[in-house]
Amino acid sequence: MTHKWWQDSVVYQIYPMSFQDSNNDGIGDLPGIKQRLPYLKKLGVDVIWLNPIYESPNKDNGYDIADYEAINPMYGTMADFDQLLEATHKSGIKLLMDLVVNHTSDQHRWFQESKKSQDNQYADYYIWRDPVDGHEPNNWGAAFGGSAWTYVPERGQYYLHLFAPGQPDLNWENPDVRESIWSLMRFWLDKGVDGFRMDVINLISKPAGLPDAPAPANYATVEKMVADGPKLNDYLHEMNDKVLSHYDVMTVGEMPSSKPEDAIEYTGLKSNELNMVFQFEHVSLSSNPDKRLGKWNDAPVKLTDLKRALSRWQVELDGQGWNSLYWNNHDQPRAVSRFANDDPKYRVRAAKLLGTTLHMMQGTPYVYEGEELGMTNVHYTSLDQYEDLESINSYHELVDENKFVDGKTMLKYLANVSRDNARTPMQWDAKENAGFSKVKPWFALNPNYTEINVAGELEDPESVFYYYQKLIALRHDSELIRYGTYEEIDPQDAEVFAYRRHYEDQTLLVLSNFTDQTVTRDYDQANATERLIGNYEDDQGTTLRPYESKVYVFK
Ligand code: TEU
Ligand code: CA
């Protein structure tokens, strides 16, 4: 079977605000990314994905776009972007932009026009509804607190925003909206951008009639109800027809609440829609018994749940679709803290274990900035340490307004799963500001940057960095890793994540002990041709030491 370049690639996600500051204003920028291309080349990644860098008032750190064809001055100029793109391509690396078209910023000229009246050129670009009995058109809660509706007196109507009031949802039913989106996509593709990550792309088709959501009607409930709406397929087909099919590009759709059957429908190897999806099953496993609290919880993730979630996607998409493989991104806490163990005694091994577990699977791996170092959660203790509107608004809504939970408990939940954990500046060295900037960064560094940083890891052959470098190189060299089928072993085993991959006459055996105890597992290791990689220097066969992870090949 022929394969596409994006099936053989490893992607590195850059959160531009926090990656590298080059002009000492404390904020990461495009020239800073360009300076760090040699580092990314050394790691061995094939593609970089930039979170939004467009003109934005930054209410949601750039996911509220005011001009899709202009660069936010805090990141630099369009010339800086053109130079970054050229240098990236010269390094043999491709570049994805973040396409955020479920909504715009309320500062976008389309919205500024639309809100003025019910009959201007952009009146129908957004989802406006009359009040119902003087109130919001339905009971939907928004992702960042409050109602998903905001009233505009000058227009005498409410507009829908699944996220912040500064992020009005676009009306995809309007063909003019779709044409405007095809046009802005072409603007970037004609510049030579290699594709898009598409923000909440499975929320763009709203349920007919916008009916009330079942209690508690918060965002978590609404998202499930809105996801994969009635016309999503039509819109993605049209996007492919009008734009994507005219370029050799890679697309990954962020699809909260999607299931494998949805992913096959939208990204099937035979379908001409998207190439792959970011699904959320494995990053939504720990929940709060109190549904009113949505995502906020500090429950541990059970290994059997994690195995079931990841194996299901491996098995169900095999030969049908293509998986994205990720532990981390800018919306999720740091993986080594969430899924393994960030205690200094175990952190390095645990970070390598997570790398092995994911990178030996079938799909396109995504490495989030700092994951290749084993960066950890910050373990915040007070609300004033947070920056993300989701964290701050959720605290005030759930603790102060609704009194669903006490402040102390909510601070524990925030420390465990807040997006802020992922947004602290990249840790380049142990010097002032971790080499990220010469001035105080826009957001506080994780204090452990003095122990966890690029400079230190480049000098340590046993570092997480070099382990990730090896994992990426192994993938590039092995069709067994890239294309092999997936076979789960012992789903009920609550200590060890074991699976096999098969391709032609070869088998890969991947073993990861997710505990701090030594265990024994015999999967015929004695007859393996070789141990391909492992996070302990030596190999003790059927013995798996704390957080030991290793891979065997059988030929
Ligand atoms: O995230 C969408 C999404 O699913 C998240 O809102 C997720 O539900 C939440 O972060 C879990 O806590 C995308 C972007 O990745 C995110 O950064 C934006 O805030 C959001 O869309 C709105 O654009
Ligand atoms: Ca800067």
mmCIF file of all heavy atoms in Angstrom, residues 32 45 54 68 144 208 214 272-273 279 285 306 316 329 385 408 417 422 436 446 473 525-526 537 541 544:
data_model
loop_
_atom_site.group_PDB
_atom_site.id
_atom_site.type_symbol
_atom_site.label_atom_id
_atom_site.label_comp_id
_atom_site.label_asym_id
_atom_site.label_seq_id
_atom_site.Cartn_x
_atom_site.Cartn_y
_atom_site.Cartn_z
ATOM 1 N N GLY A 32 12.363 33.995 16.911
ATOM 2 C CA GLY A 32 12.839 33.085 17.956
ATOM 3 C C GLY A 32 12.718 31.636 17.521
ATOM 4 O O GLY A 32 13.611 30.808 17.746
ATOM 5 N N VAL A 45 12.502 15.944 14.004
ATOM 6 C CA VAL A 45 11.097 16.060 13.593
ATOM 7 C C VAL A 45 10.988 16.499 12.133
ATOM 8 O O VAL A 45 11.906 17.101 11.577
ATOM 9 C CB VAL A 45 10.330 17.040 14.517
ATOM 10 C CG1 VAL A 45 10.299 16.504 15.948
ATOM 11 C CG2 VAL A 45 10.909 18.438 14.451
ATOM 12 N N TYR A 54 -1.998 34.724 14.200
ATOM 13 C CA TYR A 54 -2.678 35.780 13.447
ATOM 14 C C TYR A 54 -3.020 36.961 14.364
ATOM 15 O O TYR A 54 -3.046 36.814 15.597
ATOM 16 C CB TYR A 54 -3.993 35.243 12.853
ATOM 17 C CG TYR A 54 -3.892 33.871 12.249
ATOM 18 C CD1 TYR A 54 -4.276 32.738 12.976
ATOM 19 C CD2 TYR A 54 -3.393 33.658 10.961
ATOM 20 C CE1 TYR A 54 -4.202 31.462 12.437
ATOM 21 C CE2 TYR A 54 -3.303 32.390 10.414
ATOM 22 C CZ TYR A 54 -3.703 31.288 11.158
ATOM 23 O OH TYR A 54 -3.611 30.023 10.625
ATOM 24 N N TYR A 68 -7.339 37.030 9.641
ATOM 25 C CA TYR A 68 -6.703 35.751 9.297
ATOM 26 C C TYR A 68 -5.499 35.941 8.374
ATOM 27 O O TYR A 68 -4.729 34.995 8.169
ATOM 28 C CB TYR A 68 -7.719 34.833 8.607
ATOM 29 C CG TYR A 68 -8.779 34.279 9.539
ATOM 30 C CD1 TYR A 68 -9.982 34.952 9.736
ATOM 31 C CD2 TYR A 68 -8.563 33.090 10.243
ATOM 32 C CE1 TYR A 68 -10.957 34.453 10.598
ATOM 33 C CE2 TYR A 68 -9.535 32.582 11.103
ATOM 34 C CZ TYR A 68 -10.724 33.267 11.276
ATOM 35 O OH TYR A 68 -11.678 32.771 12.129
ATOM 36 N N PHE A 144 -15.886 28.734 28.575
ATOM 37 C CA PHE A 144 -15.078 29.525 29.509
ATOM 38 C C PHE A 144 -15.963 30.275 30.497
ATOM 39 O O PHE A 144 -15.624 31.346 30.973
ATOM 40 C CB PHE A 144 -14.156 30.472 28.732
ATOM 41 C CG PHE A 144 -13.263 29.744 27.765
ATOM 42 C CD1 PHE A 144 -13.022 30.233 26.501
ATOM 43 C CD2 PHE A 144 -12.683 28.524 28.107
ATOM 44 C CE1 PHE A 144 -12.207 29.551 25.603
ATOM 45 C CE2 PHE A 144 -11.889 27.818 27.219
ATOM 46 C CZ PHE A 144 -11.644 28.340 25.964
ATOM 47 N N ALA A 208 -29.822 21.113 14.305
ATOM 48 C CA ALA A 208 -30.962 21.897 13.796
ATOM 49 C C ALA A 208 -31.823 22.401 14.950
ATOM 50 O O ALA A 208 -32.075 21.680 15.913
ATOM 51 C CB ALA A 208 -31.795 21.012 12.878
ATOM 52 N N PRO A 214 -29.243 18.648 27.598
ATOM 53 C CA PRO A 214 -29.660 17.997 28.840
ATOM 54 C C PRO A 214 -28.876 18.585 30.011
ATOM 55 O O PRO A 214 -27.758 19.081 29.837
ATOM 56 C CB PRO A 214 -29.305 16.520 28.624
ATOM 57 C CG PRO A 214 -28.345 16.491 27.487
ATOM 58 C CD PRO A 214 -28.563 17.726 26.679
ATOM 59 N N ASN A 272 -12.068 11.673 1.020
ATOM 60 C CA ASN A 272 -11.253 12.844 0.663
ATOM 61 C C ASN A 272 -11.681 14.025 1.518
ATOM 62 O O ASN A 272 -12.177 15.027 1.030
ATOM 63 C CB ASN A 272 -11.425 13.156 -0.822
ATOM 64 C CG ASN A 272 -12.903 13.297 -1.144
ATOM 65 O OD1 ASN A 272 -13.734 13.251 -0.229
ATOM 66 N ND2 ASN A 272 -13.222 13.468 -2.400
ATOM 67 N N GLU A 273 -11.475 13.846 2.813
ATOM 68 C CA GLU A 273 -11.776 14.963 3.717
ATOM 69 C C GLU A 273 -10.505 15.351 4.435
ATOM 70 O O GLU A 273 -9.637 15.974 3.895
ATOM 71 C CB GLU A 273 -12.930 14.568 4.644
ATOM 72 C CG GLU A 273 -14.228 14.408 3.861
ATOM 73 C CD GLU A 273 -15.385 13.923 4.716
ATOM 74 O OE1 GLU A 273 -15.356 14.136 5.938
ATOM 75 O OE2 GLU A 273 -16.313 13.343 4.150
ATOM 76 N N GLN A 279 -8.265 12.973 18.586
ATOM 77 C CA GLN A 279 -9.421 12.541 19.363
ATOM 78 C C GLN A 279 -9.102 12.767 20.832
ATOM 79 O O GLN A 279 -7.953 13.011 21.196
ATOM 80 C CB GLN A 279 -9.723 11.060 19.082
ATOM 81 C CG GLN A 279 -8.569 10.109 19.207
ATOM 82 C CD GLN A 279 -8.363 9.582 20.613
ATOM 83 O OE1 GLN A 279 -9.229 9.704 21.478
ATOM 84 N NE2 GLN A 279 -7.202 8.995 20.863
ATOM 85 N N LEU A 285 -10.153 10.644 30.426
ATOM 86 C CA LEU A 285 -10.493 9.416 31.161
ATOM 87 C C LEU A 285 -10.827 9.671 32.627
ATOM 88 O O LEU A 285 -11.681 9.020 33.201
ATOM 89 C CB LEU A 285 -9.316 8.434 31.076
ATOM 90 C CG LEU A 285 -9.049 7.881 29.673
ATOM 91 C CD1 LEU A 285 -7.728 7.125 29.642
ATOM 92 C CD2 LEU A 285 -10.188 6.969 29.227
ATOM 93 N N LEU A 306 -6.682 3.679 30.193
ATOM 94 C CA LEU A 306 -5.784 4.265 29.185
ATOM 95 C C LEU A 306 -5.504 3.253 28.072
ATOM 96 O O LEU A 306 -5.577 3.579 26.880
ATOM 97 C CB LEU A 306 -4.470 4.686 29.849
ATOM 98 C CG LEU A 306 -3.447 5.383 28.971
ATOM 99 C CD1 LEU A 306 -3.984 6.721 28.444
ATOM 100 C CD2 LEU A 306 -2.145 5.610 29.731
ATOM 101 N N GLU A 316 -9.415 0.037 15.656
ATOM 102 C CA GLU A 316 -10.555 0.415 14.802
ATOM 103 C C GLU A 316 -10.140 1.250 13.595
ATOM 104 O O GLU A 316 -10.792 1.248 12.573
ATOM 105 C CB GLU A 316 -11.622 1.136 15.633
ATOM 106 C CG GLU A 316 -12.234 0.194 16.683
ATOM 107 C CD GLU A 316 -13.526 0.737 17.297
ATOM 108 O OE1 GLU A 316 -14.211 1.544 16.648
ATOM 109 O OE2 GLU A 316 -13.803 0.354 18.442
ATOM 110 N N ASN A 329 -0.628 18.687 24.630
ATOM 111 C CA ASN A 329 -0.694 19.859 23.773
ATOM 112 C C ASN A 329 -0.923 21.055 24.684
ATOM 113 O O ASN A 329 -0.838 20.929 25.910
ATOM 114 C CB ASN A 329 -1.772 19.725 22.685
ATOM 115 C CG ASN A 329 -3.158 19.507 23.269
ATOM 116 O OD1 ASN A 329 -3.521 20.118 24.273
ATOM 117 N ND2 ASN A 329 -3.937 18.620 22.662
ATOM 118 N N GLN A 385 -1.586 32.491 40.276
ATOM 119 C CA GLN A 385 -0.525 31.948 39.428
ATOM 120 C C GLN A 385 -1.029 31.617 38.031
ATOM 121 O O GLN A 385 -0.246 31.371 37.127
ATOM 122 C CB GLN A 385 0.033 30.658 40.052
ATOM 123 C CG GLN A 385 0.842 30.873 41.337
ATOM 124 C CD GLN A 385 1.262 29.540 41.948
ATOM 125 O OE1 GLN A 385 0.419 28.807 42.478
ATOM 126 N NE2 GLN A 385 2.543 29.222 41.856
ATOM 127 N N LYS A 408 -10.358 25.405 47.957
ATOM 128 C CA LYS A 408 -9.186 24.529 48.183
ATOM 129 C C LYS A 408 -9.243 23.325 47.230
ATOM 130 O O LYS A 408 -8.269 22.976 46.576
ATOM 131 C CB LYS A 408 -9.180 24.085 49.653
ATOM 132 C CG LYS A 408 -7.917 23.404 50.128
ATOM 133 C CD LYS A 408 -7.831 23.438 51.687
ATOM 134 C CE LYS A 408 -6.734 22.511 52.207
ATOM 135 N NZ LYS A 408 -7.144 21.076 52.138
ATOM 136 N N VAL A 417 -5.211 19.554 36.131
ATOM 137 C CA VAL A 417 -5.559 19.469 34.691
ATOM 138 C C VAL A 417 -5.632 20.807 33.965
ATOM 139 O O VAL A 417 -6.058 20.863 32.825
ATOM 140 C CB VAL A 417 -6.902 18.731 34.472
ATOM 141 C CG1 VAL A 417 -6.769 17.252 34.809
ATOM 142 C CG2 VAL A 417 -8.033 19.386 35.274
ATOM 143 N N ALA A 422 0.767 23.614 30.601
ATOM 144 C CA ALA A 422 1.468 23.366 29.327
ATOM 145 C C ALA A 422 2.042 24.645 28.730
ATOM 146 O O ALA A 422 2.725 24.601 27.704
ATOM 147 C CB ALA A 422 0.486 22.756 28.326
ATOM 148 N N PHE A 436 14.930 31.572 27.705
ATOM 149 C CA PHE A 436 13.752 31.887 26.865
ATOM 150 C C PHE A 436 13.752 33.353 26.492
ATOM 151 O O PHE A 436 13.358 33.737 25.397
ATOM 152 C CB PHE A 436 12.471 31.523 27.634
ATOM 153 C CG PHE A 436 11.212 32.124 27.060
ATOM 154 C CD1 PHE A 436 10.693 31.638 25.866
ATOM 155 C CD2 PHE A 436 10.579 33.202 27.668
ATOM 156 C CE1 PHE A 436 9.552 32.192 25.311
ATOM 157 C CE2 PHE A 436 9.446 33.770 27.123
ATOM 158 C CZ PHE A 436 8.922 33.273 25.938
ATOM 159 N N ASN A 446 8.265 27.360 34.950
ATOM 160 C CA ASN A 446 8.211 26.288 35.947
ATOM 161 C C ASN A 446 9.541 26.370 36.712
ATOM 162 O O ASN A 446 10.605 26.326 36.100
ATOM 163 C CB ASN A 446 8.070 24.937 35.232
ATOM 164 C CG ASN A 446 7.806 23.803 36.199
ATOM 165 O OD1 ASN A 446 8.326 23.807 37.328
ATOM 166 N ND2 ASN A 446 6.997 22.843 35.774
ATOM 167 N N ALA A 473 14.053 8.466 15.268
ATOM 168 C CA ALA A 473 14.921 7.837 14.254
ATOM 169 C C ALA A 473 14.459 6.405 13.972
ATOM 170 O O ALA A 473 14.403 5.972 12.808
ATOM 171 C CB ALA A 473 16.358 7.847 14.748
ATOM 172 N N GLN A 525 10.269 -12.967 25.546
ATOM 173 C CA GLN A 525 11.406 -12.076 25.295
ATOM 174 C C GLN A 525 12.676 -12.864 24.976
ATOM 175 O O GLN A 525 13.518 -12.436 24.198
ATOM 176 C CB GLN A 525 11.702 -11.188 26.511
ATOM 177 C CG GLN A 525 10.654 -10.140 26.858
ATOM 178 C CD GLN A 525 9.626 -10.631 27.861
ATOM 179 O OE1 GLN A 525 8.950 -11.640 27.589
ATOM 180 N NE2 GLN A 525 9.494 -9.961 28.981
ATOM 181 N N ALA A 526 12.807 -14.058 25.601
ATOM 182 C CA ALA A 526 14.049 -14.841 25.448
ATOM 183 C C ALA A 526 14.321 -15.160 23.974
ATOM 184 O O ALA A 526 15.467 -15.292 23.558
ATOM 185 C CB ALA A 526 13.935 -16.134 26.253
ATOM 186 N N GLU A 537 19.662 0.757 31.088
ATOM 187 C CA GLU A 537 20.851 0.464 30.282
ATOM 188 C C GLU A 537 20.891 -1.031 29.959
ATOM 189 O O GLU A 537 21.107 -1.425 28.822
ATOM 190 C CB GLU A 537 22.134 0.868 31.037
ATOM 191 C CG GLU A 537 22.280 2.376 31.237
ATOM 192 C CD GLU A 537 21.165 2.981 32.075
ATOM 193 O OE1 GLU A 537 20.947 2.497 33.206
ATOM 194 O OE2 GLU A 537 20.462 3.894 31.581
ATOM 195 N N GLY A 541 15.325 -9.318 30.790
ATOM 196 C CA GLY A 541 14.373 -10.313 30.261
ATOM 197 C C GLY A 541 12.960 -10.123 30.780
ATOM 198 O O GLY A 541 12.333 -9.114 30.528
ATOM 199 N N LEU A 544 10.565 -6.543 34.811
ATOM 200 C CA LEU A 544 10.313 -5.138 34.437
ATOM 201 C C LEU A 544 10.447 -4.307 35.703
ATOM 202 O O LEU A 544 9.634 -4.432 36.620
ATOM 203 C CB LEU A 544 8.899 -4.990 33.853
ATOM 204 C CG LEU A 544 8.682 -5.565 32.457
ATOM 205 C CD1 LEU A 544 7.198 -5.530 32.097
ATOM 206 C CD2 LEU A 544 9.471 -4.787 31.418
#
